[in-house]
Amino acid sequence: MTTGAAIRLDHVAFSYGEAAMNFDAAIEASAITAVMGPSGSGKSTLLNLIAGFETPQAGRILISGMDVTRLEPAARPVSMVFQENNLFAHLSVEQNVGLGRSPALRLAAEDREAVAGALDRTGLAGKEKRLPRELSGGERQRVALARVLVRDRPVLLLDEPFAALGPALRDDMLDLVQGVHEERKMTVVLVTHRPEDARRVAQRMIFLDNGTVAASGETEFFFEPDGPAAFRRYIGTEQKVALPPEIARKTT
Ligand code: ADP
Ligand code: MG
């Protein structure tokens, strides 16, 4: 049983050559925070900085008050799920999940129990011996989630993990994330380009624009008529979603 950790990005500067980004943000412990923003605004970079796959050029990253800025990814209390390619193609479902307990797959009885429990929780019981190519896209993302569950880290980063799935399946997966969050209360940071996903599961939102945090706060606030203007413009112009009439009026 995990609980979440607060995350603080303290004037974190990072650039890939020309694309300069500067993130200053506080992410609440044990909440689900949705990260939205136009393509190229820095959503994946933000998650990669928290996970340690990128290192800031200036500023600090704190998790639970601890400075992790120079820590290797494996030393951080963080797991991450990507849009795809989370699995090793030559390893079975249970081996892929087992990696969450032991990178050398030396699993004790309690590790095997944890793997079986996570496969059960994610609806994969009976598929233990399959290879990733013998699974659907949704099942593969369930395996990635099962691995996160056996790692049991306080912070879970999800970078558009269900974007490649159809609508019904995507909602199922969001429900699964929400259910697991309800049980474990880890801190979840979910990148999504769908406002309805954010509304469905996230208590808080961060809206990125051009490499900075343009707005942050409670999810409901973003969808109010006097919510952040940059976000309203974004969903008004770039997203073809059915909005409640009072919001649609304000965004046009
Ligand atoms: P998002 O996830 O919001 O679409 P990214 O974080 O992937 O945005 O990208 C932020 C900026 O950094 C963009 O300008 C993008 O082109 C650039 N960028 C991302 N990854 C790389 C990379 N590996 N090399 C060079 N530039 C990159
Ligand atoms: Mg991205």
Side-chain angles (χ1 to χ4, degrees):
M1 168 86 192
T2 339
T3 48
I7 305 167
R8 172 98 182 93
L9 289 97
D10 179 16
H11 297 92
V12 170
F14 181 80
S15 77
Y16 292 106
E18 282 175 21
M21 291 170 257
N22 204 307
F23 300 116
D24 200 52
I27 297 171
E28 195 175 289
S30 297
I32 301 181
T33 297
V35 177
M36 295 195 64
S39 178
S41 59
K43 303 180 297 296
S44 294
T45 305
L46 178 77
L47 264 57
N48 285 329
L49 285 162
I50 296 170
F53 299 123
E54 301 289 1
T55 305
Q57 282 135 9
R60 295 185 314 157
I61 297 172
L62 306 172
I63 299 179
S64 262
M66 186 176 72
D67 190 337
V68 300
T69 316
R70 306 283 146 197
L71 285 187
E72 290 295 309
R76 300 188 186 202
V78 170
S79 296
M80 186 154 165
V81 176
F82 303 91
Q83 187 169 340
E84 48 197 12
N85 298 322
N86 290 288
L87 308 182
F88 290 93
H90 63 291
L91 297 181
S92 69
V93 165
E94 66 184 357
Q95 288 173 318
N96 267 288
V97 176
L99 287 175
R101 296 295 274 212
S102 159
L105 285 178
R106 276 191 249 286
L107 302 178
E110 67 174 48
D111 297 319
R112 293 181 189 285
E113 228 169 82
V115 168
L119 289 173
D120 199 39
R121 180 70 186 82
T122 51
L124 290 164
K127 299 189 170 138
E128 292 83 355
K129 305 292 177 200
R130 292 208 198 169
L131 292 171
R133 67 165 175 272
E134 297 164 333
L135 300 172
S136 69
E139 286 169 338
R140 280 195 288 271
Q141 292 305 73
R142 285 173 188 271
V143 177
L145 277 178
R147 181 165 62 207
V148 158
L149 291 182
V150 300
R151 277 166 62 83
D152 208 19
R153 301 274 162 119
V155 174
L156 172 57
L157 307 175
L158 302 167
D159 192 357
E160 306 208 51
F162 315 132
L165 309 179
L169 198 51
R170 198 166 47 223
D171 285 349
D172 282 354
M173 298 294 279
L174 282 172
D175 290 347
L176 178 58
V177 167
Q178 198 171 32
V180 166
H181 174 260
E182 203 45 48
E183 290 158 24
R184 301 200 177 186
K185 294 290 183 211
M186 69 287 224
T187 304
V188 177
V189 186
L190 168 72
V191 175
T192 176
H193 59 270
R194 295 165 47 89
E196 57 270 49
D197 289 359
R199 280 191 110 163
R200 190 181 174 96
V201 300
Q203 294 89 54
R204 302 190 61 84
M205 274 183 68
I206 292 177
F207 180 69
L208 299 184
D209 197 13
N210 204 15
T212 64
V213 177
S216 67
E218 293 191 5
T219 304
E220 275 317 305
F221 163 63
F222 276 76
F223 293 92
E224 282 166 11
D226 61 348
F231 177 69
R232 286 214 317 272
R233 274 195 303 276
Y234 170 67
I235 58 174
T237 56
E238 297 201 16
Q239 303 281 307
K240 305 277 181 283
V241 292
L243 291 170
E246 72 279 9
I247 295 175
R249 264 204 312 281
K250 290 277 185 177
T251 54
T252 47

